[in-house]
Amino acid sequence: MKKWQGFLVLLLVIGALAGFGYLVMYGVDETGVGSAKKTKLGLDLAGGVSITYEVVGDEEPSAADLDDTVFKLRKRIDQYSTEANVYPEGKKRISIEIPGVTDANAILKDLGSPGSLYFIKATDPNGNLNYNYKLDESGQQVYDENMKPEFELSKPIEDIVAEGSVVLSGTDVVSSEAKAYTDEYNTTQHIVSLQLSTDGSVRFADATGEAAGLPGLRGTIAIYYDNELLSVPNVHERIAGGQAQITGMRDHNEAENLAQNIRIGGLKLELQELRSNVVGAQLGSDAIKTSLIAGLIGLILVILLMCTVYRLPGFASSIALVLYCMLVILVMNLFEMTLTLPGIAGIILSVGMAVDANVIIFARIKEELKAGATVAEAIKAGFEKALSAIIDGNITTLIAAVVLMLMGSGTVKGFAYTLAVGIVLSMFTALAVTRLIVNAFYAVGFKAKGLWGVSEKSIDTEKKDKLIDFLKNKKLFFGISIGIIVIGIISMIIFRITTGDALNYSLEFKGGTATTVAFDRQMTLPEIESQVYPELEKITGDANVQSQTVNDSNEVIFKTRVLNVDERQALNDVMLSKFGVTEDKITSETIGSTISGEMKKESLMAIAVATLCMLIYIWFRFSDIRFGASAVCALIHDVLVVLTFYSLVRYSVSSTFIACMLTIVGYSINATIVIFDRVRENNNENESRKRNKDTLDMVVNRSITQTLSRSIFTSLTTVIMVIMLFILGVSSIREFALPLIIGIVCGTYSSVCVTGALWYVLREKFPPAEDEE
């Protein structure tokens, strides 16, 4: 790069910072779209819509049917936000909380009447058509964008149901799946495959037998859901055996949409709306402010550390880091991702982790300079040699994020989106932006080695770094790890026996009590937090209290762990004595966990598949399954150590627990990959020598020693961010921050002290074929 090009790059970077800064502050147009203030906020930060449904009928549904309905509603509302909550309230009610929206009526209209999926005969008992082609005002037939005719009911759906024209309801559909096959003309056909219940199969066989061969609409059966006819397929023959196919789909998307609507509509319970409210934020306004202040202070400290340790390259990475933060805000806004308080913590955390790629590069540059290379040679070699470690570490974590996006739901899916955005943008800023800035600084004249973090006295082409013998203490390290994990397992068993729960599960996992209090005036969130929370915490002995205000009323909904009769009476007494609220203005309901059993299973399955995919990728990239096995063992080790912390300290396991564990997994695998990349490089160089080969233990020790500064500084920058969150954040943020600090320290320890040693042991016990010869 020439000098004038260097100046041009620096000017462009300054312009980009100013431009992105303007977009973050003001947006892309007069409405503010693109600005930080337009970012969709979650229920905890901005409130939203709360809807309560009740099961139709006098009979109490089974727990299995209620759980199934909650799970399917969860899928239904994912279109609004991955951070929405669906949970049982009592034994016949289901509550839905959707953040970032304020029109309850619009949500109710979109959701329709859950459970009202019907397969309808073409004609009623009198031979009249139940549905017909839709006509416009001039009497012309209406077609959709794909030139397919649209249909409409000839009478209200209630009349059709009453007349006995319904063949199947949602509970008769066991499964609905989009499939594709190749016909005899070698053309791909997209279909929806249905599996019906035993009773439904008999009715469907009778109805299709009657309709088969009839002309026009009389030879059809319509599928109705959500106040519209989803499909009106022709019946060609009697369909028996409970298996049916809907053909004529234009493409896979059309088939999948129909299959999904049938699945979602196939609820085991029919629901009716009981009430709907627009609710306020669960947390006070101080939550956002303190988190942002913590992030800003942490960012400044990280920048100071980078500039102190790496000097000019550190300053370059700091510029890229600021740009990275702006890009994260813009991308989240443009893709309409919902931001919750754990999301803010995740973004602030990602700032610390985004430094990792730069640390790897700059550590390489310093190594090259110490070996006698020129600054230009060191810059080039630093980026080239660090590339594989950065790509492997980030792609491994990105694989996990993609799997969690596809298979997870709720908090898991929201975390995965944020993680994926952070990974992609951090790679871009490190490999493209930082590289441009570093080369620009060199081009404009910053060429003294002292500016690049290395003094002339430290440069010695003959001197080798002193190796630290980590493997000498491998038995001690293994013993410490096993000991901590065993203590954790024993403690969880003891607590399971004595208290019934291995961990201290919060109301998100176990459910609790929702108490609605109608105060004499509207209470502000600061008043609720300072005056009401302390009283509730005295009664429950638990700091995990949540609240929501109901718009245009004096009502506040408090959510706590399950309260017994005495505790409910104590709450009533406190409300009367402290706030003048009489007992008739207080109502209580038992609520189920917001994290359903199905969501737990989904999350565990997603994590298992993600771990397997990471193992396969590492095996493929390193051509050695021992690397993959060691990395997965490190992940399990870190998770178990953090679980030990949760068990021994009885720290509340809340909704942030899942995000915390996933963050630790992503962080740990990235740190491990960096060390393994250096082991692979050094081992390849060692095996290519004709003589003076290092022993395998020397290769491992050298690799860990060479990456030690990276491990320390990356962990330090990340911990700085999280410590600031812990010091300045609200209680729910501190619940996220402290276990994360434990996890980061543990991840660093396992990467440096355990994984390299474990790979060495596996390599010695199970040598490659060429070593056995």
Side-chain angles (χ1 to χ4, degrees):
M1 185 183 292
K2 297 180 180 179
K3 191 171 186 178
W4 68 268
Q5 292 174 323
F7 279 115
L8 181 60
V9 167
L10 294 177
L11 288 174
L12 289 174
V13 169
I14 294 171
L17 286 172
F20 284 128
Y22 178 85
L23 291 177
V24 168
M25 292 296 295
Y26 302 105
V28 297
D29 56 26
E30 64 278 359
T31 64
V33 173
S35 63
K37 62 185 178 184
K38 285 289 183 177
T39 302
K40 292 173 65 177
L41 300 178
L43 201 70
D44 52 358
L45 300 177
V49 166
S50 175
I51 301 169
T52 301
Y53 285 109
E54 189 170 51
V55 177
V56 175
D58 296 330
E59 291 187 8
E60 191 175 287
S62 67
D65 286 348
L66 199 64
D67 286 345
D68 179 75
T69 304
V70 167
F71 176 70
K72 290 180 178 177
L73 278 175
R74 163 85 260 175
K75 295 294 187 182
R76 178 71 169 160
I77 66 169
D78 269 351
Q79 61 179 304
Y80 301 106
S81 171
T82 57
E83 302 296 338
N85 287 326
V86 183
Y87 55 90
E89 183 177 317
K91 296 183 178 180
K92 289 190 65 178
R93 296 176 182 176
I94 295 175
S95 287
I96 298 174
E97 295 172 340
I98 305 175
V101 293
T102 56
D103 191 343
N105 290 329
I107 297 296
L108 287 167
K109 182 179 178 182
D110 286 346
L111 283 175
S113 301
S116 56
L117 172 75
Y118 300 121
F119 284 61
I120 303 171
K121 294 179 181 179
T123 57
D124 61 21
N126 297 321
N128 301 314
L129 287 171
N130 286 317
Y131 46 86
N132 215 322
Y133 294 104
K134 189 174 184 180
L135 305 178
D136 60 20
E137 295 178 355
S138 63
Q140 298 296 314
Q141 193 168 314
V142 177
Y143 294 87
D144 64 16
E145 65 274 12
N146 299 313
M147 295 308 296
K148 286 189 173 184
E150 294 188 12
F151 302 87
E152 60 185 356
L153 295 179
S154 305
K155 60 187 78 173
I157 186 62
E158 293 79 11
D159 294 345
I160 294 173
V161 174
E163 292 169 357
S165 293
V166 172
V167 181
L168 304 172
S169 63
T171 55
D172 295 312
V173 181
V174 177
S175 66
S176 171
E177 185 179 358
K179 293 184 177 180
Y181 72 93
T182 303
D183 61 20
E184 64 270 22
Y185 303 106
N186 204 30
T187 302
T188 301
Q189 300 292 339
H190 298 277
I191 63 170
V192 174
S193 178
L194 303 177
Q195 172 68 48
L196 307 179
S197 65
T198 303
D199 292 340
S201 300
V202 175
R203 295 195 302 273
F204 194 66
D206 293 340
T208 52
E210 294 174 8
L214 294 179
L217 288 178
R218 295 179 184 274
T220 64
I221 289 180
I223 303 172
Y224 171 90
Y225 178 67
D226 239 7
N227 298 317
E228 67 173 323
L229 292 169
L230 299 178
S231 179
V232 184
N234 292 303
V235 180
H236 301 291
E237 60 185 358
R238 184 176 184 271
I239 303 174
Q243 297 281 351
Q245 291 183 349
I246 304 172
T247 60
M249 305 292 113
R250 179 172 47 89
D251 53 27
H252 177 75
N253 287 336
E254 184 179 350
E256 181 57 43
N257 287 337
L258 178 58
Q260 185 177 23
N261 277 312
I262 294 174
R263 283 197 302 271
I264 296 170
L267 299 180
K268 292 187 177 181
L269 303 174
E270 186 169 354
L271 309 175
Q272 62 185 6
E273 179 203 349
L274 186 65
R275 60 176 177 265
S276 59
N277 298 313
V278 177
V279 296
Q282 292 174 339
L283 302 170
S285 57
D286 286 343
I288 299 178
K289 183 166 52 174
T290 55
S291 296
L292 293 178
I293 291 173
L296 182 60
I297 295 174
L299 179 61
I300 292 171
L301 292 175
V302 168
I303 289 173
L304 290 175
L305 178 65
M306 291 295 291
C307 292
T308 301
V309 175
Y310 296 106
R311 303 181 194 178
L312 191 62
F315 178 64
S317 69
S318 301
I319 297 173
L321 199 58
V322 173
L323 189 63
Y324 165 80
C325 295
M326 294 179 180
L327 286 172
V328 168
I329 295 172
L330 287 173
V331 170
M332 286 197 66
N333 186 8
L334 292 175
F335 284 93
E336 297 186 340
M337 297 167 66
T338 302
L339 181 62
T340 61
L341 203 56
I344 291 178
I347 291 173
I348 294 173
L349 171 67
S350 71
V351 173
M353 295 182 69
V355 178
D356 182 40
N358 291 313
V359 171
I360 296 171
I361 294 166
F362 300 156
R364 282 288 195 168
I365 291 175
K366 289 181 73 170
E367 282 182 32
E368 296 298 321
L369 289 174
K370 286 181 178 180
T374 64
V375 173
E377 291 170 343
I379 293 172
K380 182 180 179 182
F383 279 94
E384 288 177 353
K385 291 184 176 182
L387 185 62
S388 61
I390 294 170
I391 290 177
D392 286 337
N394 282 279
I395 288 182
T396 305
T397 312
L398 187 60
I399 288 172
V402 171
V403 172
L404 294 173
M405 273 190 276
L406 295 175
M407 298 184 61
S409 60
T411 304
V412 174
K413 183 169 285 190
F415 171 84
Y417 281 121
T418 306
L419 177 63
V421 168
I423 292 169
V424 173
L425 293 180
S426 65
M427 286 184 67
F428 168 73
T429 52
L431 297 177
V433 178
T434 303
R435 187 168 194 164
L436 271 175
I437 298 173
V438 165
N439 283 315
F441 278 146
Y442 180 80
V444 298
F446 296 101
K447 299 181 179 180
K449 292 186 176 181
L451 294 173
W452 299 88
V454 176
S455 64
E456 293 291 341
K457 293 181 180 180
S458 67
I459 299 173
D460 183 355
T461 55
E462 299 298 326
K463 181 181 176 181
K464 290 186 178 180
D465 291 328
K466 184 179 178 181
L467 294 186
I468 302 174
D469 194 352
F470 289 96
L471 295 187
K472 181 178 69 174
N473 299 311
K474 61 181 181 294
K475 291 183 179 179
L476 174 63
F477 296 144
F478 291 164
I480 292 172
S481 296
I482 294 171
I484 293 174
I485 292 170
V486 169
I487 289 172
I489 293 172
I490 292 173
S491 70
M492 283 187 275
I493 293 173
I494 293 173
F495 282 117
R496 173 75 181 185
I497 295 172
T498 56
T499 67
D501 289 317
L503 301 172
N504 180 24
Y505 295 108
S506 67
L507 63 92
E508 287 98 338
F509 278 86
K510 291 191 66 177
T513 300
T515 305
T516 303
V517 180
F519 291 92
D520 293 335
R521 61 179 180 84
Q522 284 192 345
M523 297 282 285
T524 63
L525 280 172
E527 288 176 323
I528 293 169
E529 291 173 345
S530 62
Q531 299 175 29
V532 185
Y533 275 18
E535 301 297 334
L536 294 180
E537 289 172 5
K538 288 178 186 176
I539 294 171
T540 63
D542 182 10
N544 189 28
V545 178
Q546 299 175 6
S547 67
Q548 288 178 314
T549 57
V550 179
N551 283 18
D552 301 322
S553 79
N554 297 339
E555 292 184 349
V556 180
I557 303 170
F558 296 98
K559 296 178 183 178
T560 62
R561 65 163 177 79
V562 176
L563 302 180
N564 58 38
V565 175
D566 293 337
E567 289 169 336
R568 290 192 184 192
Q569 186 57 52
L571 187 150
N572 292 343
D573 294 340
V574 165
M575 288 299 166
L576 180 61
S577 62
K578 298 284 186 180
F579 306 100
V581 181
T582 57
E583 195 167 322
D584 61 302
K585 294 183 178 180
I586 303 172
T587 58
S588 296
E589 290 280 352
T590 299
I591 58 175
S593 60
T594 58
I595 301 174
S596 64
E598 286 82 1
M599 187 187 290
K600 294 175 189 174
K601 292 176 185 176
E602 254 189 5
S603 302
L604 291 174
M605 181 62 70
I607 293 170
V609 173
T611 303
L612 178 62
C613 290
M614 288 190 289
L615 172 62
I616 293 171
Y617 177 79
I618 297 170
W619 183 7
F620 170 75
R621 282 289 292 151
F622 288 83
S623 301
D624 186 347
I625 196 171
R626 300 166 193 78
F627 283 115
S630 302
V632 170
C633 286
L635 297 186
I636 297 171
H637 165 275
D638 297 342
V639 167
L640 290 177
V641 169
V642 176
L643 276 176
T644 298
F645 165 79
Y646 271 103
S647 177
L648 292 176
V649 183
R650 305 309 290 166
Y651 219 62
S652 179
V653 177
S654 62
S655 58
T656 59
F657 170 80
I658 296 175
C660 176
M661 285 300 185
L662 292 172
T663 303
I664 291 168
V665 168
Y667 181 87
S668 177
I669 194 69
N670 197 47
T672 300
I673 289 294
V674 173
I675 294 176
F676 281 172
D677 181 79
R678 188 61 69 95
V679 171
R680 174 179 59 180
E681 178 185 329
N682 287 338
N683 195 44
N684 290 340
E685 289 181 359
N686 185 54
E687 291 178 351
S688 66
R689 295 177 190 168
K690 298 294 184 182
R691 51 187 175 178
N692 297 328
K693 288 185 178 181
D694 291 336
T695 58
L696 189 61
D697 60 335
M698 291 177 63
V699 170
V700 175
N701 284 326
R702 175 171 289 108
S703 301
I704 299 174
T705 302
Q706 289 172 335
T707 56
L708 186 61
S709 63
R710 172 265 159 205
S711 300
I712 293 173
F713 286 125
T714 296
S715 300
L716 190 58
T717 54
T718 309
V719 166
I720 285 173
M721 303 297 296
V722 184
I723 287 176
M724 296 313 303
L725 285 176
F726 182 77
I727 294 173
L728 299 177
V730 297
S731 58
S732 58
I733 282 290
R734 287 198 291 273
E735 281 187 359
F736 179 86
L738 185 56
L740 210 50
I741 294 172
I742 302 297
I744 292 169
V745 173
C746 176
T748 305
Y749 162 79
S750 67
S751 297
V752 172
C753 301
V754 176
T755 49
L758 184 58
W759 177 83
Y760 172 79
V761 171
L762 291 176
R763 175 70 180 249
E764 289 289 292
K765 295 291 184 182
F766 307 100
E770 59 266 26
D771 287 355
E772 294 176 337
E773 296 177 356

mmCIF file of all heavy atoms in Angstrom, residues 23 139 501 515 537 550 599 700:
data_model
loop_
_atom_site.group_PDB
_atom_site.id
_atom_site.type_symbol
_atom_site.label_atom_id
_atom_site.label_comp_id
_atom_site.label_asym_id
_atom_site.label_seq_id
_atom_site.Cartn_x
_atom_site.Cartn_y
_atom_site.Cartn_z
ATOM 1 N N LEU A 23 -26.144 6.840 11.560
ATOM 2 C CA LEU A 23 -27.238 5.882 11.377
ATOM 3 C C LEU A 23 -27.706 5.313 12.717
ATOM 4 O O LEU A 23 -28.910 5.141 12.937
ATOM 5 C CB LEU A 23 -26.794 4.748 10.455
ATOM 6 C CG LEU A 23 -26.550 5.100 8.987
ATOM 7 C CD1 LEU A 23 -26.053 3.887 8.220
ATOM 8 C CD2 LEU A 23 -27.817 5.645 8.340
ATOM 9 N N GLY A 139 -68.377 -9.627 -9.838
ATOM 10 C CA GLY A 139 -68.788 -10.999 -10.057
ATOM 11 C C GLY A 139 -67.745 -11.863 -10.719
ATOM 12 O O GLY A 139 -68.014 -13.013 -11.076
ATOM 13 N N ASP A 501 -34.905 -30.744 44.480
ATOM 14 C CA ASP A 501 -34.337 -30.159 43.264
ATOM 15 C C ASP A 501 -32.816 -30.140 43.364
ATOM 16 O O ASP A 501 -32.253 -29.654 44.357
ATOM 17 C CB ASP A 501 -34.839 -28.725 43.049
ATOM 18 C CG ASP A 501 -36.301 -28.691 42.636
ATOM 19 O OD1 ASP A 501 -36.685 -29.514 41.786
ATOM 20 O OD2 ASP A 501 -37.051 -27.859 43.168
ATOM 21 N N THR A 515 -49.545 -12.776 41.181
ATOM 22 C CA THR A 515 -50.453 -12.026 42.053
ATOM 23 C C THR A 515 -50.740 -10.670 41.425
ATOM 24 O O THR A 515 -49.826 -9.879 41.205
ATOM 25 C CB THR A 515 -49.837 -11.830 43.445
ATOM 26 O OG1 THR A 515 -49.469 -13.106 43.986
ATOM 27 C CG2 THR A 515 -50.815 -11.138 44.381
ATOM 28 N N GLU A 537 -39.685 -10.035 48.883
ATOM 29 C CA GLU A 537 -38.499 -10.858 49.109
ATOM 30 C C GLU A 537 -38.439 -11.359 50.546
ATOM 31 O O GLU A 537 -37.950 -12.461 50.815
ATOM 32 C CB GLU A 537 -37.246 -10.063 48.759
ATOM 33 C CG GLU A 537 -37.092 -9.838 47.249
ATOM 34 C CD GLU A 537 -35.962 -8.874 46.892
ATOM 35 O OE1 GLU A 537 -35.235 -8.464 47.826
ATOM 36 O OE2 GLU A 537 -35.813 -8.522 45.709
ATOM 37 N N VAL A 550 -49.945 -2.999 34.138
ATOM 38 C CA VAL A 550 -50.960 -3.114 33.101
ATOM 39 C C VAL A 550 -51.346 -1.715 32.651
ATOM 40 O O VAL A 550 -51.757 -0.887 33.464
ATOM 41 C CB VAL A 550 -52.204 -3.867 33.625
ATOM 42 C CG1 VAL A 550 -53.268 -3.959 32.534
ATOM 43 C CG2 VAL A 550 -51.815 -5.251 34.118
ATOM 44 N N MET A 599 -39.598 -27.323 25.390
ATOM 45 C CA MET A 599 -38.500 -26.412 25.087
ATOM 46 C C MET A 599 -37.189 -26.928 25.678
ATOM 47 O O MET A 599 -36.130 -26.817 25.053
ATOM 48 C CB MET A 599 -38.800 -25.013 25.634
ATOM 49 C CG MET A 599 -37.774 -23.966 25.209
ATOM 50 S SD MET A 599 -37.993 -22.361 25.997
ATOM 51 C CE MET A 599 -39.488 -21.819 25.229
ATOM 52 N N VAL A 700 3.510 -29.944 22.302
ATOM 53 C CA VAL A 700 2.304 -29.488 23.005
ATOM 54 C C VAL A 700 2.646 -28.343 23.950
ATOM 55 O O VAL A 700 1.947 -27.316 23.987
ATOM 56 C CB VAL A 700 1.655 -30.652 23.775
ATOM 57 C CG1 VAL A 700 0.474 -30.158 24.610
ATOM 58 C CG2 VAL A 700 1.196 -31.739 22.813
#
